[in-house]
Amino acid sequence: MPSSKQQRAFIGLIFFFIGVSFATWASRIPNIKANFQLNDAELGSLLILMPISSMVSLPFSGWLVSRFNSRKPLIVSIFINALSLMLIGNANSIFLLSVGISGYAFTTRTLNLSLNTQGVNLQKLFSRNILGTFHGLWSAGGIVGAALTTFLLKYHVSIQVHLIAVAILVIIACAFAYPYLIRNDKPEKGNKIIIGKPDPYIFMLGLLAFCAAVCEGGMFDWSGVYFKEVIQTPIFTYGYLTFMTFMAGFRFLSGTIIAKIGMYRNYMLSAGLIFSGIILSIALPYFWAGLIGFALVGAGTASVVPMTYALAGKSDKYAPGMALSIITTYTISGMLIGPPIIGYISHALNLRVSFALFAAAGIMIAPIAHLLFQKFIRPRGIV
């Protein structure tokens, strides 16, 4: 049996390479938009396939993870996910592109749920918060993916070659890590959704996940387009790369920050950073102001999802996998609403105005977190 340190290392390795894969897709969106000659509204309609596919996947993936060990669904979904990435890069029609995006989103939800279940279960063996480190590795993979895209764009490497190479690399790395994953983690109880009034504790966590998803999903999908069309930078990945760099850095620091100021203050800080970063980028649509604004948004979004997932793992009502599955519904809803609405508002008005949606979602984290801590966290002594 692998040790807990080995499990932590190889779970982290998968987080890293999944981050590389996602950043590869996200940073190539402007190329896809140009190749298929899509306007902002058409791109928004295409991007809505991802959250819709994720929503369709959710009951299936939640059932798999709660009823069986998370290890096998994880590795199977990674393989199909990589094949879908290849299809996205080589699609020669909107239909094939839509199939690739749908398959990528469907399997991303299953592998993310399986992988986070692995992380939440391993967290029980450590006194210090390690989920932030896992999500930091995902963001670090995002930095590598965005940096690689920047390099390949400079040398005019095609999207076809790029996405095939990344997909193969992800399959090899994850197959290597598979023997070290946690085995036999099927929960004994709490693996069924209880019909009736929503659990208020999970509901509040879901709202936090929703707001974070609006911001994160929107930045993933639209940061490259913003830098290309509003700031008008030839190498349009700079904004996405800056966002991912600061998100990764602050995720690695999240354990230390939480230890010093606590989760409550960290939620408040996150809300302020997201709001101020978006407002700065809207008010001053220039290169350096945009970079600083996107850096603030990256730092602000860094801790919200890891903290929320960690709190979900302490639910009295649900097993970790099922709690994460429920909260993921809110996450998908945020990604369903955010990026497409940005496209529609941008088409009707302009992209700068549409980014105000991210500022609104970011600042809402503060009152929701305040209510959560007042009603549930402090009275129950969870943290």
Side-chain angles (χ1 to χ4, degrees):
M1 287 291 292
S3 67
S4 59
K5 289 184 178 180
Q6 287 177 314
Q7 290 173 328
R8 180 179 181 181
F10 284 97
I11 290 173
L13 181 70
I14 297 180
F15 267 102
F16 176 83
F17 277 99
I18 294 305
V20 172
S21 173
F22 189 83
T24 298
W25 139 254
S27 58
R28 281 289 192 170
I29 288 175
N31 291 121
I32 293 171
K33 182 174 187 281
N35 291 346
F36 287 91
Q37 299 180 336
L38 305 172
N39 61 38
D40 286 348
E42 290 169 336
L43 179 61
S45 297
L46 185 66
L47 292 176
I48 205 172
L49 287 173
M50 290 203 72
I52 289 175
S53 299
S54 294
M55 188 68 78
V56 172
S57 167
L58 189 59
F60 175 73
S61 58
W63 177 80
L64 280 177
V65 174
S66 63
R67 294 294 301 274
F68 303 100
N69 301 325
S70 61
R71 188 165 166 257
K72 290 183 179 179
L74 172 59
I75 201 68
V76 172
S77 59
I78 285 173
F79 180 75
I80 301 175
N81 187 260
L83 294 180
S84 299
L85 185 65
M86 293 183 189
L87 179 57
I88 291 172
N90 290 271
N92 57 10
S93 68
I94 288 292
F95 173 75
L96 287 178
L97 179 62
S98 300
V99 172
I101 292 173
S102 298
Y104 189 79
F106 188 96
T107 51
T108 293
R109 181 54 47 210
T110 304
L111 72 87
N112 280 343
L113 184 56
S114 302
L115 191 54
N116 278 290
T117 300
Q118 288 263 323
V120 168
N121 286 328
L122 188 63
Q123 173 69 74
K124 297 172 184 178
L125 303 179
F126 292 82
S127 57
R128 188 181 181 88
N129 189 299
I130 63 171
L131 283 177
T133 302
F134 286 145
H135 286 261
L137 286 167
W138 183 89
S139 298
I143 295 170
V144 172
L148 178 62
T149 302
T150 303
F151 175 80
L152 295 180
L153 284 171
K154 183 177 180 181
Y155 291 96
H156 308 289
V157 176
S158 70
I159 186 175
Q160 291 86 355
V161 172
H162 181 192
L163 269 60
I164 288 174
V166 169
I168 292 172
L169 182 63
V170 169
I171 290 173
I172 293 172
C174 293
F176 181 70
Y178 178 70
Y180 298 91
L181 298 179
I182 296 174
R183 304 166 185 255
N184 303 319
D185 61 348
K186 178 183 174 181
E188 296 294 329
K189 59 180 181 178
N191 57 1
K192 294 182 179 179
I193 296 178
I194 301 172
I195 304 299
K197 185 179 179 181
D199 177 52
Y201 175 68
I202 294 295
F203 176 70
M204 297 297 292
L205 292 176
L207 290 179
L208 288 172
F210 174 85
C211 292
V214 169
C215 299
E216 279 194 43
M219 292 298 288
F220 292 149
D221 291 351
W222 287 99
S223 58
V225 178
Y226 193 88
F227 259 68
K228 183 179 181 181
E229 298 184 0
V230 176
I231 297 181
Q232 299 182 343
T233 306
I235 306 298
F236 51 78
T237 52
Y238 285 138
Y240 182 86
L241 185 58
T242 299
F243 167 74
M244 291 298 294
T245 299
F246 276 80
M247 175 183 277
F250 275 79
R251 278 182 170 169
F252 283 119
L253 292 172
S254 63
T256 301
I257 294 173
I258 291 170
K260 288 184 177 295
I261 67 174
M263 283 192 178
Y264 176 78
R265 289 190 178 89
N266 203 24
Y267 273 119
M268 299 300 123
L269 176 63
S270 297
L273 288 172
I274 294 169
F275 181 79
S276 58
I278 293 295
I279 294 301
L280 176 61
S281 302
I282 294 173
L284 299 172
Y286 308 111
F287 182 77
W288 287 108
L291 285 184
I292 294 171
F294 279 31
L296 293 175
V297 178
T301 54
S303 300
V304 178
V305 169
M307 286 192 299
T308 304
Y309 282 4
L311 291 172
K314 298 181 180 181
S315 170
D316 295 331
K317 190 172 183 178
Y318 292 109
M322 184 54 66
L324 289 176
S325 178
I326 297 170
I327 290 174
T328 300
T329 306
Y330 293 88
T331 304
I332 296 172
S333 298
M335 292 184 174
L336 177 68
I337 291 173
I341 287 182
I342 291 296
Y344 300 143
I345 296 175
S346 175
H347 188 66
L349 301 173
N350 61 65
L351 194 55
R352 286 174 65 191
V353 172
S354 68
F355 261 51
L357 177 66
F358 302 149
I363 201 64
M364 282 302 298
I365 291 171
I368 295 170
H370 177 76
L371 187 60
L372 172 72
F373 276 75
Q374 186 180 50
K375 286 185 170 291
F376 302 106
I377 303 298
R378 288 167 181 156
R380 292 163 63 182
I382 296 175
V383 294

